[in-house]
Amino acid sequence: MNETAMSENAMNEKAESYRRRADAFDAKVAAVRPDQWADPSPCEKWTARDVVRHIVDMHEVMLRPLGRALSAAPSVDADPLAAFRAARADIEAVLDDPALAGQESDTPSGRLSTLDHIDQVVSRDLPLHGWDLARATGQDDTIDPVDVAAFWSDMQGIPDEVMERLRTPGAFGPGVEVFGARVEVDEDAPTQDRLLGFIGRDPRWRP
């Protein structure tokens, strides 16, 4: 396989990962009852609606280096599902355009292509915040084992000094909190629980 083909395969793989994760998050948003949107989530100070708001906001963050903003759509307050679907469509339009997906820009993690920025940030946010939304609203909160294994492996390779910054509120911008303080879980706990504890979630949390 030549280098171009390998590059195209990597791009397609990352784009498909985003779509798979967005499908799962979409299903969770669609399953929330109207009376559940104000319910608390595992994210301190966030309601179920706020979880979706964060995801939609992060989609816009991915577009800013391209000089783009989210398309006109209902707000998260008015219609969380419509707001997410519109934001998702904006990201997928970028992923479907090789020139936009390959455009590089400076990010808090260094200089990245738009594709890699999306893959490393909002695409990974979808399963993790999907857990938040599912736990807040009594849905199946199982994260795709493929994602759990990949994320857990990646987390183990993060240098301590970088992890310290990731756990520092505001280190990547005003109001931005990437990971919370580590929550200790049993060493023999399922990998999903260990992953959640590592990023600052308590896998034992219940509404």
Side-chain angles (χ1 to χ4, degrees):
M1 185 181 295
N2 62 41
E3 186 174 336
T4 300
M6 289 177 65
S7 177
E8 289 177 354
N9 283 343
M11 289 181 65
N12 291 337
E13 200 171 292
K14 291 174 182 177
E16 286 309 309
S17 290
Y18 170 83
R19 290 185 172 88
R20 172 175 56 79
R21 294 163 183 165
D23 283 344
F25 191 82
D26 184 291
K28 290 179 175 66
V29 178
V32 177
R33 300 192 312 269
D35 63 304
Q36 292 181 306
W37 283 114
D39 288 354
S41 81
C43 297
E44 189 177 357
K45 302 178 183 177
W46 281 6
T47 64
R49 189 186 302 274
D50 291 331
V51 173
V52 180
R53 191 188 318 279
H54 170 75
I55 286 292
V56 171
D57 288 347
M58 290 307 297
H59 277 64
E60 184 162 40
V61 170
M62 300 297 100
L63 297 172
R64 286 176 190 162
L66 299 173
R68 295 185 167 211
L70 294 175
S71 300
S75 69
V76 174
D77 289 317
D79 189 336
L81 183 59
F84 171 67
R85 286 178 173 172
R88 173 187 181 174
D90 287 335
I91 290 296
E92 289 180 334
V94 170
L95 295 176
D96 289 338
D97 185 327
L100 290 175
Q103 184 172 317
E104 292 188 348
S105 61
D106 293 320
T107 77
S109 299
R111 191 157 185 84
L112 297 172
S113 69
T114 303
L115 173 67
D116 285 339
H117 196 200
I118 291 170
D119 183 62
Q120 291 182 20
V121 181
V122 77
S123 184
R124 294 189 174 218
D125 266 3
L126 289 167
L128 299 174
H129 286 302
W131 180 86
D132 294 326
L133 186 61
R135 184 57 63 94
T137 57
Q139 300 184 51
D140 180 1
D141 55 33
T142 304
I143 301 173
D144 190 320
V146 171
D147 290 330
V148 171
F151 295 174
W152 179 246
S153 176
D154 289 348
M155 296 294 178
Q156 305 315 297
I158 298 176
D160 290 343
E161 62 273 17
V162 175
M163 182 53 66
E164 182 177 352
R165 189 171 179 228
L166 290 169
R167 295 194 193 281
T168 303
F172 289 91
V176 177
E177 295 185 30
V178 182
F179 296 147
R182 185 169 186 164
V183 176
E184 295 300 327
V185 299
D186 294 338
E187 290 185 5
D188 60 351
T191 306
Q192 175 172 305
D193 287 359
R194 286 182 285 153
L195 171 65
L196 291 166
F198 190 83
I199 66 171
R201 299 288 195 283
D202 185 351
R204 296 155 296 214
W205 186 93
R206 291 290 186 277

